[in-house]
Amino acid sequence: RDLGIQQLPKIKLVKEIGQTEHPTFGLFDPNTDTIQVATEGRHVMDILRTLAHELTHHKQREEDRIQPGDGETGSDIENEANAKAGILMRDFADNNPDLF
């Protein structure tokens, strides 16, 4: 199972995203077609899950399904990204059991 992405976005691994009380772990900017993933203090599998989540958002943009406000907790778009990231990580674990 893969996402069927037509063209990969630019992916940036950064120390952190934002400097608020609750910074985000990942961010997809549909305007620049860029994904940022925060890495500081995180397990590599959590970083990969965040990347899978943001890549799902990229695929949603390729399909022209992202609208303003779709990133809200509980939205269909956000729930789909959470679910797909979980599926991708399970598949990754099945194929790489030595990493877990």
Side-chain angles (χ1 to χ4, degrees), residues 4 6-7 13 18 22 24-25 35-37 40 45-46 56 59 61 72-74 76 82 88-90 92 98:
Q6 300 300 311
Q7 184 173 342
L13 300 178
H22 301 288
T24 186
F25 292 125
I35 289 173
Q36 291 184 48
V37 179
E40 184 173 276
M45 295 307 158
D46 187 43
T56 301
K59 178 61 177 176
R61 188 204 49 81
E72 295 296 320
T73 300
D76 289 344
N82 286 328
L88 291 169
M89 289 308 296
R90 281 185 175 211
F92 184 78
D98 54 310

Side-chain angles (χ1 to χ4, degrees), residues 47-87:
I47 293 168
L48 291 174
R49 187 211 55 79
T50 298
L51 179 59
H53 177 102
E54 300 306 333
L55 284 169
T56 301
H57 285 318
H58 169 74
K59 178 61 177 176
Q60 292 165 334
R61 188 204 49 81
E62 283 188 339
E63 296 171 344
D64 199 28
R65 296 191 296 127
I66 292 185
Q67 304 299 318
D70 279 345
E72 295 296 320
T73 300
S75 72
D76 289 344
I77 289 291
E78 197 64 20
N79 286 344
E80 179 185 341
N82 286 328
K84 188 63 177 176
I87 291 167

